Amino acid sequence: MLWIAVHLPLLSLETFMATADAFVGASTDACPQPVALLHEHRISLVNAAAAKAGVKVGHQRSTAL
C-alpha cells in the first residue's frame, strides 16, 4: 500500500489572497499589506507583512487591530 502526505499550512491564506481583488498576483510573502485570517475572533493565519507588524497567531481580533 502506498501513502502520500501533503502539508499545506498556508493554503487557506493563499486561497483568500488569490480570490481577493486587492491581492491578485501577489504571493503571501511578497504582499506589502498585512493580511490575517480570523476564526472565532482569533487570528488563525498571517502573511509575512502582518507577522513583521507584530500580529501573531492566537491574538484576538482587537489586539491585532
Side-chain angles (χ1 to χ4, degrees):
M1 180 181 292
L2 297 174
W3 288 87
I4 186 168
V6 179
H7 182 63
L8 304 169
L10 298 177
L11 182 63
S12 56
L13 183 63
E14 291 171 347
T15 303
F16 170 75
M17 291 179 64
T19 58
D21 291 337
F23 306 114
V24 172
S27 66
T28 55
D29 51 343
C31 181
Q33 297 177 340
V35 179
L37 294 182
L38 297 170
H39 178 70
E40 296 180 357
H41 300 288
R42 292 215 177 254
I43 303 297
S44 61
L45 282 173
V46 297
N47 69 347
K52 188 176 180 180
V55 179
K56 296 181 181 168
V57 173
H59 277 176
Q60 291 184 352
R61 180 182 180 269
S62 59
T63 305
L65 290 174

